[in-house]
Amino acid sequence: MKSMVLYVTCSNEQEARSIGQKLLKERLVACVNILPTIQSLYWWNDDIQEDSETAFFAKTTDKNVDAAITLIKASHSYDCPCIVALPIEKSNPDFLQWIKEQTTKPHDNE
Amino acid sequence: MKSMVLYVTCSNEQEARSIGQKLLKERLVACVNILPTIQSLYWWNDDIQEDSETAFFAKTTDKNVDAAITLIKASHSYDCPCIVALPIEKSNPDFLQWIKEQTTKPHDNE
Amino acid sequence: MKSMVLYVTCSNEQEARSIGQKLLKERLVACVNILPTIQSLYWWNDDIQEDSETAFFAKTTDKNVDAAITLIKASHSYDCPCIVALPIEKSNPDFLQWIKEQTTKPHDNE
């Protein structure tokens, strides 16, 4: 099993918290770290726009990533949100075990 | 095509914004997320120094990374800036497609 | 030699600074970037908890990662801290060289 860090940007802190709670309720991530407000720059029509956003990191395993992306997309106010999974190359083994336990739903062991 | 997240530290928010805008103008990244002020610790001569800095994440593709690094180095106030590219292992396909479109310059299709 | 970004969460900024300084003193990382306060969500008993924490990034090489994890675990107030290493796929060569030099202890060359 491989573990990953999801990096997701949201329109504001309320949206980040709401999506983070949904991911936890479905046991699709082990924990969520919401960063303070960021400033985002991107092209919009023919100009470079700047907007405030809120980003979060969430830790999960490869087997949960697709379902986490699907849930985030369904809950997100953007048509095309930024949801990227970064591979974890090394970690303390007890933390990897904790991620696994936190994202294991009761029926996984039936 | 592989997508990546660049992590870059700058001397302050103004420098981060200026470099971010240059990267966007050259279509070398799809978007830039400027984080609030960070505290950086490092060795300087024989002491551990602490300074305020501003970091940003930018999303791009592997084919733009070298040119993005060259532009950041040329624009940066540091002799040896921190510019690291983290591989994206998974993402929502529409976001990867958006990164690709945003970083495709008109002459790429000629 | 492969370089990596460590992502670590701590109970507060004081703990992040203390652990960051220890990592630098032992030459186990080249630099530390302490982020402003984050909000963390996770399951605790049967509820989703929210707590303030402080996260930091540190840059190092693969040969230092295990010792860095051991030092962080020994210094940390949590039983099971989040310490994850993300691989660096590309960087400016002078920065990779700087990481290597900063994390080379005198006796490595004896």
Side-chain angles (χ1 to χ4, degrees):
Chain A
M1 187 174 297
K2 202 167 174 176
S3 293
M4 297 193 192
V5 174
L6 288 178
Y7 176 75
V8 181
T9 60
C10 298
S11 59
N12 54 40
E13 186 177 334
Q14 188 184 349
E15 184 172 67
R17 182 176 283 107
S18 163
I19 292 175
Q21 287 176 336
K22 284 182 194 175
L23 288 167
L24 284 165
K25 277 177 192 156
E26 297 298 325
R27 296 280 182 187
L28 293 174
V29 303
C31 62
V32 173
N33 297 156
I34 302 175
L35 306 184
T37 304
I38 58 174
Q39 296 298 316
S40 293
L41 309 177
Y42 56 94
W43 282 102
W44 187 255
N45 296 327
D46 292 333
D47 283 312
I48 294 177
Q49 287 280 324
E50 180 163 345
D51 276 326
S52 295
E53 289 188 296
T54 298
F56 68 81
F57 293 115
K59 296 116 194 182
T60 191
T61 64
D62 52 2
K63 82 177 182 69
N64 288 296
V65 167
D66 286 335
I69 290 174
T70 299
L71 182 150
I72 296 166
K73 279 215 61 172
S75 310
H76 209 290
S77 61
Y78 298 172
D79 287 337
C80 181
C82 165
I83 312 164
V84 298
L86 307 174
I88 294 175
E89 185 141 324
K90 208 145 199 184
S91 178
N92 39 327
D94 54 339
F95 187 68
L96 295 180
Q97 179 61 27
W98 180 79
I99 294 177
K100 190 180 161 188
E101 287 167 7
Q102 291 295 313
T103 57
T104 301
K105 290 165 275 295
H107 58 79
D108 286 353
N109 296 323
E110 276 170 14
Chain B
M1 187 175 296
K2 202 166 174 177
S3 292
M4 298 192 191
V5 175
L6 288 177
Y7 175 74
V8 181
T9 59
C10 298
S11 59
N12 54 41
E13 186 177 335
Q14 187 185 348
E15 183 173 67
R17 182 176 283 106
S18 162
I19 292 175
Q21 286 175 337
K22 283 182 195 175
L23 288 167
L24 284 164
K25 277 177 192 155
E26 297 297 326
R27 297 281 182 185
L28 293 174
V29 304
C31 61
V32 174
N33 297 156
I34 302 175
L35 305 184
T37 304
I38 59 174
Q39 296 299 315
S40 292
L41 309 178
Y42 56 95
W43 283 101
W44 187 253
N45 297 325
D46 292 333
D47 282 312
I48 294 176
Q49 286 281 324
E50 179 163 345
D51 276 325
S52 295
E53 291 188 296
T54 298
F56 68 81
F57 292 115
K59 296 116 195 182
T60 191
T61 64
D62 51 3
K63 82 177 179 70
N64 289 296
V65 167
D66 287 335
I69 289 174
T70 300
L71 182 151
I72 295 165
K73 278 216 61 170
S75 310
H76 209 290
S77 62
Y78 298 171
D79 287 336
C80 181
C82 164
I83 312 164
V84 298
L86 307 174
I88 294 176
E89 184 140 324
K90 207 144 199 183
S91 178
N92 39 326
D94 53 340
F95 187 68
L96 295 180
Q97 179 61 27
W98 180 80
I99 293 177
K100 190 180 161 187
E101 288 167 7
Q102 292 294 313
T103 57
T104 301
K105 290 164 275 298
H107 59 79
D108 286 354
N109 297 322
E110 275 171 17
Chain C
M1 187 174 298
K2 202 166 173 176
S3 292
M4 298 192 191
V5 175
L6 288 178
Y7 175 75
V8 181
T9 60
C10 299
S11 59
N12 55 41
E13 186 177 333
Q14 187 185 350
E15 183 172 68
R17 182 176 284 106
S18 163
I19 292 174
Q21 286 175 339
K22 284 182 193 173
L23 288 167
L24 285 164
K25 276 178 192 156
E26 297 297 325
R27 296 280 182 187
L28 293 174
V29 304
C31 62
V32 173
N33 298 155
I34 302 175
L35 306 183
T37 305
I38 59 175
Q39 297 298 316
S40 293
L41 309 178
Y42 56 95
W43 282 102
W44 188 254
N45 296 326
D46 292 334
D47 283 312
I48 294 176
Q49 286 280 324
E50 179 163 343
D51 276 326
S52 294
E53 291 188 295
T54 297
F56 68 81
F57 293 114
K59 297 115 196 183
T60 192
T61 64
D62 51 3
K63 82 178 179 68
N64 289 296
V65 167
D66 286 336
I69 290 174
T70 299
L71 182 150
I72 296 166
K73 279 216 61 171
S75 310
H76 209 292
S77 61
Y78 299 171
D79 287 337
C80 181
C82 165
I83 312 163
V84 298
L86 307 174
I88 294 176
E89 184 140 325
K90 207 144 200 184
S91 178
N92 39 327
D94 54 339
F95 187 68
L96 295 180
Q97 179 62 26
W98 180 81
I99 293 177
K100 190 179 160 188
E101 288 167 6
Q102 292 295 313
T103 58
T104 300
K105 289 165 276 295
H107 59 77
D108 287 353
N109 297 323
E110 275 171 18

